[in-house]
Amino acid sequence: MPSLQPITDPSPRKPPKSMVWLALLAWTGLISIVSLPDIHAIRGEGVEHATLVANAYLDKDLSVRRWLASHGGVYVRPNERTTPNPYLKVPQRDVVTTSGMALTLMNPAYATRQLMEEFAAANGIRGHLTSLKLRNPNNAPDPWERQALQRFEQGDKKVAALTNINGAETLRLIRPVYMEKSCMSCHEDMDIPVGGVRGGISVQVPMAPFREEMEDHMTLLAWTHGGIWLLGVFAIGVMSRRSRQRLTSLLRSEDTQVRNERRIAAALSLSERIEQLSEREIIQEGIEEAQLLTNSRVAYFHFINEDQRSIELVAWSHSTLENCRAVEERHYPIEQAGIWVDCARLRQPVVHNDYLHATGRRGLPEGHAPIRRHLGVPVLEGGLIRAIAGVGNKEAPYDDDDVRLLQLHAIDIWKLIQRKRSDSRLRASERLLKEAQQMARMGSWAFDPGSRHFEWSEEVFRICGQAPETFQPDLDNVLALIAPEHHGEITDHLKTIGQHGVCSTQFRILLPTGESRQVQVRGQIVASPDGKSERVVGTVLDITEHQEVESLRRSEADLSALIENTDRIVWSVDTELRVVIRNSAFAELSIDLFGYELMPGDSAVMEGETEWRKHYERALAGEKFVIEMQLAGPAGQPRWMDFSFCPIRNSHGRVTGVTVFGRDFTERMATEAAQQQTLDNMSRMVAELEAHHRQNTLLHRLNDLIQSCSNEDEAHVIVRVTLSELFPGISGGLALPRAHGLESAVVWGDEAGLASLFQADDCWALRQGQMIEVVDPANDLVCKHFETIPLHGYLCLPLVVHGDMIGLMHLAYPPKLEQKDRENLRELLRSAGETIKLSLSNLRMREAMREQATHDQLTGLFNRRYQDETLPRELHRALREKQTLTVAMLDIDHFKRFNDSYGHEAGDQVLREIGRVLRENLRRSDIACRYGGEELSVIMPASNTEDARHRLETICQLIRGMAINFHRSMLPPVTVSVGIAQAPDQGQDATELMRAADTALYAAKAAGRDRIEVYAGETN
């Protein structure tokens, strides 16, 4: 027999850890490499933005200085801060107006310096005018500025550097200031020609705000690439798991084959040893093998009785009995058994991989071995369940292979039991025939006319007093045993037996001891199909003891007088099942049993009746036993009786009849019935409690499942499945509010139930705001929202949360429903409604919040946040699948002018209409977003610039042709400018691609607007 090594570990083998770690390392390296350009770009963005700000600041200051120079300065009233410039040597520096107001002239440098000081105090950005040729020593350059001014003398146009000022990182930028013609009036004496370097203007920009912006970008980059990295790790884990599953499946297949070979080998071994084994030993070895085949710790095999309502406990495995001290009845009804007999109730295999929490579990008796898992299978034959086999406490859950193996093994055991019983019945028949011949003192014989030889049974040898080992029963030897006076008669019978059919005669035989016996011989001829005689068969009956029977019958009268005075029902039958004696109590019983009084000599069994015949034959076989049965009394009430069957033996120990003693114990059974009724009531209460617990469990599970749904459609499926289980055999439905009324969203059961669409006024429950019940639809006021009105009544329950209608629940009553059952259904429907309405309300709230978080409320398009999350993901997918991806930036032409002319409300209407055009005319895979203000963006996966340009030209044409009615007047047409960039050719990351599309958009605007431009590279 092959050794069995089943799979007990749910993950028996795993791919080498080194391969998994290598894949993770490679993936991490790839993400790191992809991230480096983004990190470098982000790090440079802060300095670039700060440089742009610094240049803008300098441009502003230079423009102010140039304007002041073009006007020769500006006169202001002097004050403490603005005193006359002592370094300004011009004739009209200080003047007095005709009204007597004193004014002083501020040259461009003096005015520009004061503006820089004001701006530095307000924004922290400090500017400084300086020169190597000074009039005002306060404008002297610091060392850094001095080096920059010297570089300007050598031809440099700009000097910038990152420095540390007072512990803070600062960008310093200085640009040259050239001598202009307008400056010569004040600085003619400095010998600097027009166009020469007069000095420099510098700015100090703190880097802290720009570094914070860079850190935000770095955080976003980390989240984006970290999410991509986690997705890759998840994919690696999935592939590893699939590999593990394939290996598990292969090992399970190999294990199943080995176990199946072992099962076949075990069946063959038992079949070869069936003659040496008893039925109990066959069953015991079978269940031990079943326990090994399924790798279990518990195993059993029990019979189902012919009535299919009771079970006979037969055998348990040794390990089961070692851990079980519970006392079990050998016979009891199936309905009282636990869920371990569900395979007999359902007529199919049943698996409980979580036995402790299985539905319908009744618990285990004290001392029973704990059960964690259980597998039970029925054995069916001829449409009846003959036996059940089960195993339990496997370390891993039972699977289909375990079910199949146990089912086949149980069938093998049953077939071996049937074979053993057939062999036993055959041997028992032979033994019974032999014993019957001995008890009846009757033997059988056969005679072959051709060979003149007899075949005798053992009883014939015994009757004749001969030994089978020494006596040869041929015709001459047999005639020698017969008394001489019967020889002629026997010879005549042998000659004429074929003419008279069955022939019977009596004669005397001589025994070796000198004694003689009287025998009765019967015989008939057995002919071949062609009518020729083949052989003669018959019986030999020893009638020597016939006188003993006659003597027994003479003593019956004395015995009758004795039994008549007992308080028991007494009667006896002979070997032919005829009544020999009986008392008057039996006469009354026979009337109840047969409808008439049985007299001595009558057959004790009616024709076709088998039960009493079996009892009599059992007693005639020498067994003493007691049976109990229920009879109908004179008034039809049940009457319980027990009967003791006692064999009657003669002086030689031979059974010659049966005596039966009967006793009425109806009163005791009535007491037991009352006790059983009490137990039944308690069981019913327990069943109600279990049903209530099951309902609460289902409602909790319903709430948990709905809370885990991502949308309402998933919740509808969960509600339908759970309510079908919560209301088995009962139809119902759930209607939810829609734009045009209430729509039937969930239906369970067989009846049509709610109409697919109806109005709230069609339901009286919604009108009244409370549950309504209709018991008699034919006479009660019924709702109008049914396709077919429920015949047996119904319930309607409105679902309302904080004054908002969530929906309507409907339940159709099944036929023949009691008042208590209706009350239970009302409470259960109310509990289910509370759970569903709160769960659906929370789910809708979550969906609304998710919609608000990803969509722009005005245009109905996705918002900037959704684009920032989606574009890197789509771009990564396109790069991975080696496809193109196109990004378009759209800007409404002259939108600020439009808002100024028609108002922001009209501008909002334009944005809504453009959003509608985009939603209706883009592909389902395209992603349209509101980028900000009047700027929109479109992500087009699997699309090149030509495809994108073609679609966007159609959209631009539709936008030009929009007729927008605003406050009963038509708004003027609007146009958009579009810039297109394609990945990976024009950018391999989101920022680079969006910058390229934005550059193309500016090119479209610069080219005159209302056009589409494709990114063609950076331009100065």
Side-chain angles (χ1 to χ4, degrees):
M1 188 178 301
S3 61
L4 187 63
Q5 296 181 351
I7 298 176
T8 57
D9 185 1
S11 55
R13 296 183 188 174
K14 299 180 179 178
K17 289 186 177 179
S18 59
M19 297 298 296
V20 177
W21 283 111
L22 183 61
L24 289 174
L25 183 61
W27 175 244
T28 303
L30 178 61
I31 292 298
S32 301
I33 293 173
V34 172
S35 303
L36 288 177
D38 295 336
I39 294 173
H40 179 72
I42 290 174
R43 287 178 175 174
E45 282 181 357
V47 176
E48 182 179 352
H49 290 177
T51 302
L52 291 174
V53 171
N55 280 313
Y57 178 86
L58 292 179
D59 289 339
K60 178 262 299 180
D61 289 343
L62 289 173
S63 297
V64 171
R65 179 181 178 281
R66 189 176 296 111
W67 180 85
L68 291 171
S70 66
H71 290 79
V74 61
Y75 283 97
V76 298
R77 296 175 63 182
N79 54 30
E80 295 180 357
R81 185 165 180 268
T82 307
T83 60
N85 188 354
Y87 305 104
L88 180 61
K89 306 298 183 181
V90 294
Q92 297 179 350
R93 187 193 71 176
D94 299 306
V95 297
V96 178
T97 65
T98 57
S99 61
M101 180 183 296
L103 298 176
T104 184
L105 179 65
M106 294 184 71
N107 65 329
Y110 190 17
T112 302
R113 183 164 55 252
Q114 281 202 1
L115 288 175
M116 287 179 176
E117 292 173 355
E118 292 286 344
F119 197 82
N123 299 284
I125 301 178
R126 300 184 179 278
H128 187 216
L129 275 171
T130 185
S131 177
L132 294 177
K133 297 179 180 181
L134 297 171
R135 281 186 176 178
N136 187 349
N138 293 328
N139 295 334
D142 61 20
W144 183 84
E145 290 174 330
R146 183 175 297 279
Q147 292 180 1
L149 292 172
Q150 293 172 355
R151 291 174 61 179
F152 293 158
E153 297 291 342
Q154 298 173 4
D156 288 354
K157 302 299 182 180
K158 180 173 61 177
V159 177
L162 287 174
T163 62
N164 189 298
I165 300 177
N166 298 326
E169 185 181 18
T170 304
L171 173 68
R172 300 195 68 179
L173 176 65
I174 186 170
R175 286 163 55 180
V177 176
Y178 299 100
M179 180 68 75
E180 296 178 0
K181 186 176 181 180
S182 58
C183 302
M184 297 299 292
S185 60
C186 297
H187 302 285
E188 184 176 3
D189 57 342
M190 298 186 73
D191 298 330
I192 300 175
V194 175
V197 178
R198 167 68 183 86
I201 181 170
S202 67
V203 63
Q204 299 177 11
V205 181
M207 289 298 295
F210 301 98
R211 293 301 182 188
E212 291 177 0
E213 180 182 2
M214 181 183 69
E215 290 176 358
D216 292 340
H217 289 177
M218 290 293 287
T219 301
L220 177 61
L221 178 66
W223 278 107
T224 303
H225 287 74
I228 297 173
W229 180 81
L230 289 175
L231 288 176
V233 172
F234 174 76
I236 293 172
V238 169
M239 289 188 290
S240 174
R241 182 177 181 182
R242 289 183 178 176
S243 176
R244 186 163 57 247
Q245 289 174 345
R246 287 194 295 268
L247 182 59
T248 301
S249 176
L250 177 61
L251 294 178
R252 182 176 289 111
S253 176
E254 295 175 354
D255 176 72
T256 300
Q257 181 178 358
V258 171
R259 290 194 290 177
N260 195 51
E261 292 174 356
R262 174 165 185 150
R263 177 188 64 80
I264 296 173
L268 291 175
S269 175
L270 288 173
S271 177
E272 292 172 354
R273 297 180 290 119
I274 194 167
E275 294 184 359
Q276 292 80 31
L277 300 174
S278 66
E279 179 177 315
R280 185 57 179 262
E281 290 172 337
I282 292 173
I283 296 174
Q284 192 65 44
E285 288 195 23
I287 61 174
E288 297 294 343
E289 190 64 29
Q291 181 171 308
L292 290 175
L293 284 172
T294 58
N295 202 28
S296 302
R297 300 293 182 269
V298 174
Y300 60 84
F301 191 92
H302 304 315
F303 293 145
I304 303 298
N305 294 327
E306 288 290 337
D307 59 5
Q308 298 291 288
R309 296 180 180 178
S310 57
I311 187 170
E312 177 185 351
L313 304 184
V314 179
W316 295 264
S317 66
H318 294 311
S319 61
T320 304
L321 295 176
E322 289 174 359
N323 298 312
C324 184
R325 300 183 303 278
V327 179
E328 298 279 0
E329 294 289 340
R330 285 290 178 176
H331 298 268
Y332 62 89
I334 290 178
E335 64 181 9
Q336 296 181 8
I339 60 174
W340 63 274
V341 192
D342 281 353
C343 63
R345 298 187 182 103
L346 301 177
R347 303 173 69 86
Q348 65 183 13
V350 173
V351 177
H352 301 105
N353 275 324
D354 187 3
Y355 192 87
L356 295 178
H357 301 93
T359 302
R361 176 176 170 269
R362 300 184 180 180
L364 300 172
E366 184 177 357
H368 196 285
I371 301 298
R372 300 186 305 277
R373 294 187 176 91
H374 172 259
L375 163 61
V377 298
V379 178
L380 288 89
E381 181 185 66
L384 298 177
I385 301 176
R386 300 298 184 181
I388 60 173
V391 293
N393 290 355
K394 180 182 176 182
E395 291 297 328
Y398 288 105
D399 54 23
D400 292 341
D401 293 337
D402 296 319
V403 174
R404 184 164 48 253
L405 280 172
L406 183 60
Q407 183 73 77
L408 293 174
H409 190 63
I411 294 173
D412 291 342
I413 295 175
W414 178 249
K415 289 181 179 179
L416 290 170
I417 293 172
Q418 291 295 87
R419 177 181 166 188
K420 182 66 178 180
R421 290 179 176 178
S422 298
D423 293 345
S424 300
R425 283 194 296 269
L426 179 60
R427 288 192 293 271
S429 298
E430 294 175 350
R431 184 173 63 256
L432 287 175
L433 177 59
K434 180 179 178 180
E435 292 175 353
Q437 290 180 352
Q438 291 177 354
M439 288 187 293
R441 301 182 65 81
M442 176 186 292
S444 59
W445 56 271
F447 175 67
D448 184 2
S451 62
R452 298 169 60 85
H453 183 79
F454 284 89
E455 294 179 5
W456 283 0
S457 67
E458 292 184 7
E459 186 62 19
V460 176
F461 281 101
R462 191 190 63 77
I463 292 173
C464 296
Q466 302 296 329
E469 297 82 5
T470 59
F471 184 77
Q472 294 293 329
D474 54 26
L475 183 58
D476 294 335
N477 291 335
V478 171
L479 290 176
L481 297 177
I482 301 174
E485 65 268 24
H486 299 293
H487 283 187
E489 181 183 358
I490 296 301
T491 302
D492 293 338
H493 280 299
L494 290 174
K495 292 179 181 180
T496 60
I497 191 170
Q499 303 173 4
H500 301 287
V502 179
C503 180
S504 178
T505 184
Q506 296 181 1
F507 51 84
R508 186 170 59 88
I509 61 174
L510 304 176
L511 302 181
T513 60
E515 299 177 356
S516 64
R517 287 180 178 169
Q518 193 73 20
V519 297
Q520 182 182 35
V521 178
R522 296 169 59 89
Q524 68 177 17
I525 193 166
V526 177
S528 62
D530 57 4
K532 294 182 180 180
S533 299
E534 291 186 347
R535 59 191 312 191
V536 182
V537 297
T539 60
V540 177
L541 176 63
D542 183 358
I543 58 175
T544 306
E545 297 179 355
H546 182 69
Q547 295 299 323
E548 297 179 3
V549 176
E550 293 297 329
S551 176
L552 178 62
R553 288 179 179 174
R554 286 193 296 270
S555 63
E556 286 180 359
D558 298 333
L559 183 60
S560 296
L562 177 64
I563 65 175
E564 190 64 34
N565 296 317
T566 183
D567 60 348
R568 297 288 185 99
I569 302 171
V570 182
W571 78 96
S572 67
V573 298
D574 59 16
T575 56
E576 295 182 357
L577 305 185
R578 296 187 177 277
V579 178
V580 179
I581 58 173
R582 53 100 170 120
N583 61 3
S584 56
F586 173 75
E588 297 176 1
L589 176 65
S590 64
I591 294 174
D592 292 339
L593 289 176
F594 306 108
Y596 58 90
E597 181 180 351
L598 289 181
M599 303 298 293
D602 292 341
S603 175
V605 293
M606 297 180 64
E607 183 177 357
E609 204 282 329
T610 59
E611 185 176 4
W612 281 94
R613 181 181 296 277
K614 290 180 180 179
H615 296 325
Y616 289 132
E617 292 175 350
R618 182 179 171 188
L620 288 172
E623 183 179 353
K624 183 179 180 180
F625 59 93
V626 179
I627 64 169
E628 295 180 357
M629 64 175 57
Q630 184 181 17
L631 305 176
Q637 71 275 17
R639 182 182 178 188
W640 285 94
M641 307 283 294
D642 65 15
F643 298 98
S644 299
F645 288 78
C646 302
I648 302 173
R649 301 180 183 274
N650 60 13
S651 58
H652 300 289
R654 180 180 178 185
V655 177
T656 59
V658 178
T659 300
V660 184
F661 301 90
R663 180 173 60 90
D664 190 331
F665 62 99
T666 303
E667 184 176 352
R668 177 170 64 85
M669 289 302 297
T671 302
E672 294 179 355
Q675 295 175 349
Q676 184 62 41
Q677 181 66 29
T678 301
L679 291 176
D680 292 342
N681 292 336
M682 294 178 65
S683 298
R684 185 167 55 255
M685 293 176 62
V686 171
E688 292 176 356
L689 291 175
E690 290 178 347
H692 184 67
H693 174 70
R694 172 180 170 273
Q695 293 167 0
N696 287 337
T697 301
L698 288 174
L699 290 176
H700 287 307
R701 188 186 70 178
L702 173 63
N703 180 64
D704 293 342
L705 290 175
I706 293 180
Q707 293 301 325
S708 64
C709 291
S710 59
N711 55 64
E712 196 165 326
D713 291 337
E714 290 183 354
H716 295 170
V717 176
I718 292 170
V719 169
R720 176 179 59 78
V721 173
T722 304
L723 293 186
S724 298
E725 191 174 355
L726 189 63
F727 299 101
I730 301 177
S731 300
L734 172 63
L736 300 176
R738 296 292 185 259
H740 303 291
L742 277 84
E743 181 183 54
S744 181
V746 178
V747 177
W748 68 91
D750 299 329
E751 297 185 12
L754 297 172
S756 59
L757 184 67
F758 60 92
Q759 301 303 315
D761 288 343
D762 293 340
C763 181
W764 288 103
L766 291 175
R767 289 188 182 187
Q768 301 176 19
Q770 62 184 6
M771 176 189 286
I772 66 164
E773 179 183 28
V774 175
V775 179
D776 185 6
N779 299 311
D780 290 346
L781 186 64
V782 299
C783 301
K784 301 178 182 179
H785 51 67
F786 296 109
E787 293 182 352
T788 302
I789 298 176
L791 299 177
H792 309 289
Y794 65 89
L795 289 170
C796 281
L797 175 66
L799 306 180
V800 179
V801 176
H802 300 307
D804 295 332
M805 183 182 68
I806 302 300
L808 172 70
M809 287 189 69
H810 153 71
L811 199 66
Y813 281 153
K816 300 178 181 180
L817 201 63
E818 299 295 334
Q819 176 65 27
K820 183 178 180 180
D821 296 331
R822 288 201 299 271
E823 293 175 359
N824 292 337
L825 284 179
R826 286 199 299 269
E827 292 304 319
L828 183 56
L829 182 63
R830 185 173 283 109
S831 299
E834 288 294 325
T835 299
I836 291 173
K837 72 181 184 181
L838 294 177
S839 300
L840 289 181
S841 177
N842 291 336
L843 179 60
R844 290 175 181 176
M845 186 180 299
R846 292 202 311 270
E847 289 183 345
M849 293 176 66
R850 183 166 58 249
E851 179 74 13
Q852 294 174 2
T854 60
H855 283 74
D856 176 60
Q857 298 299 314
L858 179 62
T859 62
L861 305 177
F862 290 108
N863 55 23
R864 173 73 175 274
R865 175 183 175 186
Y866 185 81
Q867 173 186 303
D868 292 342
E869 294 175 353
T870 304
L871 179 57
R873 181 172 63 251
E874 292 295 331
L875 183 58
H876 178 72
R877 180 185 299 136
L879 294 175
R880 183 181 66 240
E881 297 176 359
K882 297 182 179 179
Q883 294 182 348
T884 58
L885 180 142
T886 303
V887 172
M889 288 291 293
L890 293 79
D891 186 85
I892 303 174
D893 296 332
H894 304 297
F895 190 67
K896 183 178 183 303
R897 185 190 308 166
F898 190 94
N899 276 339
D900 294 340
S901 300
Y902 299 97
H904 290 283
E905 187 178 354
D908 291 344
Q909 183 66 21
V910 169
L911 286 171
R912 276 192 290 268
E913 289 298 318
I914 293 178
R916 177 188 59 79
V917 170
L918 289 174
R919 292 196 308 272
E920 293 177 355
N921 293 278
L922 287 173
R923 300 177 304 174
R924 292 179 61 87
S925 59
D926 296 338
I927 302 168
C929 307
R930 185 179 182 187
Y931 193 73
E934 69 271 21
E935 286 189 326
L936 309 171
S937 62
V938 181
I939 303 172
M940 301 180 179
S943 177
N944 55 33
T945 54
E946 291 299 324
D947 295 337
R949 186 185 191 100
H950 178 73
R951 281 198 297 275
L952 291 170
E953 285 176 349
T954 301
I955 290 174
C956 291
Q957 184 175 358
L958 291 172
I959 292 174
R960 292 189 204 100
M962 288 190 310
I964 304 175
N965 189 333
F966 181 71
H967 291 175
R968 298 182 180 180
S969 63
M970 302 302 295
L971 294 175
V974 295
T975 60
V976 294
S977 300
V978 183
I980 301 175
Q982 173 183 306
D985 300 336
Q986 296 161 0
Q988 297 190 7
D989 64 79
T991 303
E992 184 179 355
L993 193 61
M994 289 300 297
R995 186 184 301 115
D998 195 53
T999 301
L1001 173 62
Y1002 277 103
K1005 285 181 172 292
R1009 292 184 171 84
D1010 189 17
R1011 65 187 64 238
I1012 300 173
E1013 292 291 339
V1014 178
Y1015 178 71
E1018 294 291 343
T1019 59
N1020 293 328

